[in-house]
Amino acid sequence: MRLDLSRVAQGCRLGVLTGLGKSGQHSLEVPGCLLYTRCATVPHLTQDTLHTLRDLPSVTQVSVDSLAEHHEVLEEFKEGVRKFAGLHDTVLFCSLHDSANTSPAGHVTNKTVSVWGSGGRIELTVARFMAIQAAIQPDCYQSMADGETWQAGTSRKRVRKAVDRTLAHLDECLVLHQKTQELKQAEIFGVVEGGDIIEERLRSARETAKRPVGGFVLDGFHSAAMDQDVRAQLIKATSAELPQEKPRLVLGVGRPDDVISCVEAGVDLFESFFPFQVTERGCALSINYTIDPDPETAGTSTPTVLEFNGEMPAVKKLNSNGDENMMPFEMNLRDKRCVCIEGDTPQTHMRAYVHHLLVTNELLGGVLLMLHNMEHYLGFFKALREAIARDCLQNFKNRVLHCREGD
Amino acid sequence: MNDSQVNRTSLFKMSAPIPSSTHECEDSMASVKAVSSAAPLALRIVAECPVSKARACTLTLPHCAVYTPVFMPVGTQGTLKGITVDQLEDLDCQICLGNTYHLGMRPGPELIEKANGLHGFMKWNRNLLTDSGGFQMVSLVELSEVTEEGVKFRSPYDGKEILLTPEQSIAIQNSLGSDIMMQLDDVVSSTVKGPRVEEAMHRSVRWLDRCIAANKNPDRQNLFAIIQGGLDAKLRKACLDEMTKRDVPGFAIGGLSGGEEKDDFWKMVTLSTDHLPREKPRYLMGVGYALDLVVCVALGCDMFDCVFPTRTARFGSALVPWGSLQLKQKQYARDFQPIDPDCQCPTCRRHSRAYLHALFKSDTAALHHITIHNISYQLALMRSVRQSIIEQRFPEFVKAFMKRMFASGEQYPSWAVEALQSVNIDVR
């Protein structure tokens, strides 16, 4: 695995991660996202429907949260999760947790962390964690970590403990990694902890960087938990302590504005649980990311629920009414006002159809929304990369963040 | 010999061109029995089984040709559960169902008409058949009241009363733009006995006439009659006599596939096909279990629909030639083979029982995988039935089918054995 940076401008790193996977044939552009899955399936989508999307990320993300309960089955299967799930030829990254779920706190000890499957809590020692990795057979994985510092008012002592435990877990993981046949060609990522305490962040980063890891996972920065500016400052400082040539993935960050802020602070990779969360809210993503709508390609893409090509959705102010479940960057398709039937276009028909599916609780609603939201999110990342490449990041930010602030 | 055997001609060879039913019917009742050349439907009988009443046909409808015998999956609310229309097309589905009652309630005919009909709304480019809303009279009976005018429903969503008349049902179906529309019929449950059954039969005939008169698009949309009469042979025969006098492009056999005894069921099916014109398609409503499909093809039916395969998929039940697998059960957790090693559907080509079992706990995609498999199973079954009829080996097919489905001859359901016997197929 190698990270080739073509550009570093205004803090943003632009490049390609190459040599991925067992054959080393795969690559991933950065900044970019992984393909989020639950139990190795992109939510709502079969392989056929998934592959109607173009330009899928070459790296698929699975989590120990959703796979731990299948440990014995995977061990008996012997050939890893990629084959077990009938996945296409993709690179597999295994994280500890599923960022779309909030797990209850208070189940971390000096020697163990807990994950949550469909049957409840499963406690993991490093040994068990590594046995699960051997059964999953990922191409890269994060080491076991104590990331429970996201709660408000976490004490300094607790944060320090999280850093210490995580380093200890990493060292143990590295030892077992060397001894595990199934992980011979896999890369292990170190996890940087430290809560919101700058000294601990720096300590965690420096110490982790001393270990022979392939990349870094930045933990405890979850969108819900931390103020965007605080996060940006901490990540910037942390980044400076990390080797430039190794990739940095941040967990739990998905909203477009948070993504941009993290990219400016030096992050390369993100998860893509966010489009899934938007889907579960019955919403369609509408990020205003197109800089130059290309009249030649407009209308030739896979039909999605909403096509903007630079235009804003008809109901502008809907998101600013203080509804807790409403987020900026999305349209609530359960809401009849968003469905806007006056215009007689294929897009409004499609919106009316998805609205109907949601209102009648039909499964296809989730499928169509997931397809739209994933495609839209991937388009956002592509546009972000282009904006960095062409030196028009400010322009891009103005367009994307515009719909958050209103007029 | 009974009427149906006299009317059937001798063996067809695949290579010989078959006269189009619209042009060369030698029956003196040609003007009524043959499909009117003005109707947007043509039935070509490609092959008939010389032993039983089974036939293989090509049914040409406005959107594309349909090969019969055909199973039509049900997409009640304008969607086939979690399956996209592209997936449905890839499975080679040529026709599926939508429901007038449900779609008439939500989102309503005006919106669908604006979206270029149900085809445009769903983005389905092949054929659609819409049910009239009649069956909901039985299934939602607490909410309905029947008069000569129509059916009064109380909407379960807002408590409002809606009157569904034959004219209204056809108007909604005209807006939906389906290729085949069903008449509004007065449906009674097959377990009901007594004068209500006769009343419903006669009313269905009168409603058929009202539906025919109300159809705004006879050049684009085919209206099928629905034979009623419950389990009473005399009433069924009377209904058949009356309805076959009307110039409709096709007939459905209704009022069955409720809770009735199978022994009564098959007798009404065979009585109906005996008296329905050969040159028009016969649609047996609500029949979908594999055994029932095979037997009723033998009895002369061409088209079938049922929610069963798609509904049972959502409970984790996968249909196979020897029964069904309840994939949520523990025994499949480590079963690394596909649902059916011989099945070519996307699910079986890629996924194992063990993975599907695991996925059920995490994501709805598991339901979609099973739904795809079950639809594929039903469509593939019908394709093999059709092929066996064309190749003049349908009785052998039926025997092999029974052997695969049941552990031993003693387990063959007696109603099926008798029904097949009645058309000269001896499976024991």
Side-chain angles (χ1 to χ4, degrees):
Chain A
M1 180 170 72
R2 211 180 69 196
L3 178 58
D4 293 318
L5 293 174
S6 57
R7 196 150 206 257
V8 181
Q10 296 156 268
C12 305
R13 293 148 53 93
L14 181 73
V16 188
L17 201 53
T18 59
L20 296 171
K22 298 225 169 10
S23 58
Q25 305 279 52
H26 290 283
S27 59
L28 184 64
E29 289 181 67
V30 301
C33 63
L34 311 181
L35 186 64
Y36 168 79
T37 68
R38 291 194 301 180
C39 196
T41 282
V42 176
H44 301 297
L45 305 183
T46 64
Q47 287 286 301
D48 296 331
T49 42
L50 174 66
H51 288 283
T52 59
L53 298 178
R54 300 160 299 173
D55 300 328
L56 287 176
S58 57
V59 180
T60 298
Q61 178 191 7
V62 295
S63 64
V64 180
D65 262 342
S66 72
L67 294 177
E69 67 194 279
H70 306 297
H71 181 192
E72 277 102 50
V73 176
L74 286 166
E75 261 184 1
E76 190 172 320
F77 182 70
K78 292 187 176 49
E79 294 180 86
V81 128
R82 187 179 18 236
K83 192 127 189 248
F84 180 61
L87 293 181
H88 56 293
D89 179 25
T90 181
V91 180
L92 214 59
F93 178 90
C94 186
S95 60
L96 178 60
H97 291 302
D98 179 339
S99 291
N101 301 336
T102 31
S103 335
H107 294 283
V108 179
T109 70
N110 275 334
K111 293 288 181 191
T112 67
V113 300
S114 288
V115 294
W116 275 262
S118 68
R121 187 169 78 92
I122 300 173
E123 196 166 56
L124 305 175
T125 55
V126 171
R128 191 163 175 199
F129 173 85
M130 290 303 287
I132 290 173
Q133 295 297 345
I136 290 173
Q137 295 171 29
D139 297 293
C140 328
Y141 64 102
Q142 65 159 97
S143 80
M144 197 167 102
D146 171 6
E148 227 162 73
T149 54
W150 40 264
Q151 286 171 306
T154 306
S155 71
R156 197 176 197 101
K157 185 172 166 195
R158 178 68 184 88
V159 172
R160 197 179 317 135
K161 229 197 243 182
V163 174
D164 292 336
R165 281 174 181 161
T166 301
L167 286 166
H169 294 328
L170 174 57
D171 288 335
E172 256 197 271
C173 283
L174 283 165
V175 170
L176 289 172
H177 181 107
Q178 294 308 316
K179 296 186 187 161
T180 308
Q181 184 62 31
E182 295 88 341
L183 298 173
K184 272 252 134 24
Q185 291 174 288
E187 297 266 14
I188 186 168
F189 275 42
V191 184
V192 176
E193 299 290 347
D196 56 0
I197 300 172
I198 181 90
E199 293 82 14
E200 288 300 314
R201 283 283 170 190
L202 295 176
R203 181 168 78 93
S204 179
R206 285 179 198 133
E207 286 300 317
T208 309
K210 290 178 186 166
R211 275 73 170 169
V213 294
F216 299 90
V217 166
L218 308 178
D219 196 10
F221 287 115
H222 296 66
S223 276
M226 199 179 277
D227 180 72
Q228 197 184 84
D229 295 326
V230 173
R231 180 190 308 121
Q233 273 174 42
L234 289 167
I235 292 184
K236 212 161 170 213
T238 305
S239 269
E241 304 295 327
L242 300 174
Q244 297 300 295
E245 73 283 2
K246 290 185 180 174
R248 302 91 177 263
L249 179 147
V250 69
L251 296 174
V253 171
R255 259 173 51 161
D257 52 341
D258 291 338
V259 167
I260 295 174
S261 156
C262 286
V263 169
E264 287 175 316
V267 175
D268 304 315
L269 294 169
F270 300 80
E271 304 171 291
S272 58
F273 60 89
F274 180 67
F276 168 59
Q277 291 176 320
V278 175
T279 301
E280 296 306 279
R281 286 195 280 269
C283 293
L285 264 184
S286 62
I287 311 166
N288 192 14
Y289 61 76
T290 319
I291 302 179
D292 295 326
D294 182 349
E296 272 174 47
T297 58
T300 59
S301 52
T302 1
T304 55
V305 178
L306 310 165
E307 285 176 20
F308 288 106
N309 293 326
E311 301 154 24
M312 286 305 292
V315 187
K316 262 190 193 181
K317 291 290 188 180
L318 200 61
N319 302 336
S320 55
N321 63 4
D323 181 346
E324 267 180 33
N325 287 332
M326 281 301 302
M327 306 281 277
F329 313 114
E330 60 193 48
M331 269 177 109
N332 184 353
L333 288 195
R334 284 186 199 273
D335 188 326
K336 251 210 140 92
R337 289 173 294 170
C338 275
V339 181
C340 187
I341 315 192
E342 299 98 50
D344 191 31
T345 66
Q347 284 78 37
T348 43
H349 294 163
M350 188 57 128
R351 242 179 270 175
Y353 183 54
V354 175
H355 170 79
H356 165 71
L357 295 173
L358 292 173
V359 155
T360 53
N361 280 319
E362 286 284 349
L363 292 168
L364 190 62
V367 175
L368 295 181
L369 276 182
M370 191 70 221
L371 284 170
H372 168 86
N373 290 337
M374 188 53 85
E375 175 149 85
H376 199 80
Y377 200 58
L378 296 174
F380 161 73
F381 272 96
K382 189 169 183 187
L384 172 57
R385 291 191 293 271
E386 272 170 29
I388 300 171
R390 299 198 283 158
D391 214 1
C392 40
L393 185 62
Q394 194 51 49
N395 194 347
F396 178 81
K397 278 171 70 171
N398 289 342
R399 287 188 74 87
V400 170
L401 302 179
H402 160 83
C403 73
R404 185 183 185 203
E405 289 142 22
D407 279 326
Chain B
M1 274 202 276
N2 63 32
D3 280 351
S4 59
Q5 284 170 311
V6 168
N7 286 341
R8 257 186 292 114
T9 55
S10 56
L11 292 180
F12 285 91
K13 286 195 191 142
M14 254 321 270
S15 50
I18 310 297
S20 160
S21 58
T22 57
H23 300 310
E24 294 181 36
C25 186
E26 290 165 67
D27 193 307
S28 60
M29 294 283 280
S31 59
V32 173
K33 288 207 167 164
V35 178
S36 154
S37 49
L41 179 154
L43 186 76
R44 183 170 79 96
I45 301 173
V46 173
E48 286 172 300
C49 174
V51 172
S52 67
K53 298 201 279 178
R55 6 32 109 74
C57 309
T58 301
L59 176 65
T60 307
L61 291 170
H63 278 81
C64 68
V66 176
Y67 302 127
T68 73
V70 65
F71 176 76
M72 305 181 285
V74 180
T76 306
Q77 311 230 49
T79 160
L80 231 124
K81 300 305 152 185
I83 308 307
T84 65
V85 290
D86 288 336
Q87 288 177 303
L88 202 54
E89 212 177 287
D90 288 340
L91 290 175
D92 247 337
C93 176
Q94 296 147 352
I95 178 170
C96 66
L97 263 68
N99 188 275
T100 297
Y101 169 82
H102 290 93
L103 293 169
M105 295 278 198
R106 301 186 296 188
E110 298 83 13
L111 188 140
I112 296 185
E113 194 166 346
K114 266 179 122 169
N116 298 322
L118 189 54
H119 288 91
F121 193 54
M122 291 173 66
K123 292 206 181 345
W124 170 245
N125 298 322
R126 295 183 175 182
N127 297 303
L128 281 169
L129 185 152
T130 45
D131 187 15
S132 60
F135 181 68
Q136 278 66 45
M137 287 153 64
V138 174
S139 57
L140 302 173
V141 74
E142 282 86 49
L143 303 170
S144 72
E145 187 202 323
V146 185
T147 63
E148 186 62 26
E149 212 190 339
V151 193
K152 257 197 279 207
F153 283 104
R154 188 170 297 282
S155 161
Y157 312 114
D158 56 14
K160 271 202 305 216
E161 240 187 35
I162 311 117
L163 176 62
L164 188 66
T165 62
E167 291 75 16
Q168 256 292 70
S169 173
I170 295 304
I172 297 174
Q173 292 185 77
N174 280 148
S175 294
L176 297 177
S178 45
D179 302 275
I180 298 177
M181 309 188 293
M182 303 309 296
Q183 70 157 112
L184 183 66
D185 49 343
D186 185 357
V187 187
V188 290
S189 161
S190 49
T191 52
V192 167
K193 306 261 186 273
R196 175 77 184 102
V197 182
E198 178 160 9
E199 176 195 52
M201 185 275 284
H202 287 298
R203 181 172 292 141
S204 295
V205 177
R206 293 192 293 274
W207 282 4
L208 171 59
D209 289 336
R210 284 166 62 181
C211 286
I212 293 172
N215 183 9
K216 278 191 319 223
N217 305 323
D219 58 327
R220 281 182 281 130
Q221 296 184 267
N222 295 287
L223 174 60
F224 276 27
I226 306 179
I227 309 293
Q228 294 293 343
L231 304 176
D232 184 321
K234 278 219 304 286
L235 290 178
R236 279 255 160 209
K237 181 74 173 51
C239 195
L240 284 156
D241 288 342
E242 275 308 307
M243 287 191 174
T244 49
K245 289 180 188 160
R246 274 74 175 166
D247 182 19
V248 285
F251 293 91
I253 303 167
L256 300 175
S257 78
E260 75 276 357
E261 288 297 323
K262 276 300 208 288
D263 289 317
D264 299 322
F265 159 77
W266 77 262
K267 287 175 183 149
M268 291 298 106
V269 173
T270 207
L271 171 68
S272 303
T273 55
D274 279 345
H275 297 281
L276 285 171
R278 175 177 166 267
E279 303 79 13
K280 293 185 181 179
R282 296 95 169 255
Y283 165 27
L284 180 57
M285 305 183 80
V287 168
Y289 293 112
L291 175 64
D292 299 5
L293 291 171
V294 172
V295 172
C296 293
V297 167
L299 299 182
C301 298
D302 307 308
M303 304 163 68
F304 305 87
D305 82 284
C306 192
V307 293
F308 170 68
T310 38
R311 180 175 289 168
T312 207
R314 301 198 309 286
F315 297 108
S317 180
L319 303 176
V320 288
W322 60 95
S324 64
L325 310 180
Q326 308 312 315
L327 290 173
K328 285 186 174 176
Q329 288 175 352
K330 273 210 171 87
Q331 55 178 292
Y332 296 107
R334 291 160 205 239
D335 191 339
F336 300 124
Q337 52 177 332
I339 292 168
D340 178 3
D342 293 326
C343 178
Q344 295 301 310
C345 83
T347 302
C348 290
R349 276 189 274 124
R350 219 184 244 288
H351 299 297
S352 64
R353 300 170 185 182
Y355 181 62
L356 295 167
H357 174 88
L359 191 59
F360 261 107
K361 301 175 187 175
S362 299
D363 194 73
T364 63
L367 311 179
H368 309 327
H369 287 305
I370 310 299
T371 303
I372 289 200
H373 168 80
N374 283 1
I375 294 176
S376 175
Y377 169 77
Q378 299 280 112
L379 297 180
L381 175 64
M382 288 288 102
R383 274 196 300 270
S384 341
V385 164
R386 183 171 199 268
Q387 198 55 31
S388 75
I389 298 169
I390 289 173
E391 291 174 11
Q392 308 286 285
R393 52 177 177 82
F394 177 65
E396 287 75 27
F397 175 89
V398 176
K399 288 176 194 161
F401 170 84
M402 297 293 281
K403 262 204 161 128
R404 191 96 207 270
M405 184 64 78
F406 300 99
S408 68
E410 285 87 59
Q411 294 195 4
Y412 293 3
S414 55
W415 75 267
V417 175
E418 280 167 41
L420 292 166
Q421 189 75 60
S422 79
V423 288
N424 309 305
I425 298 183
D426 188 357
V427 289
R428 279 231 206 267

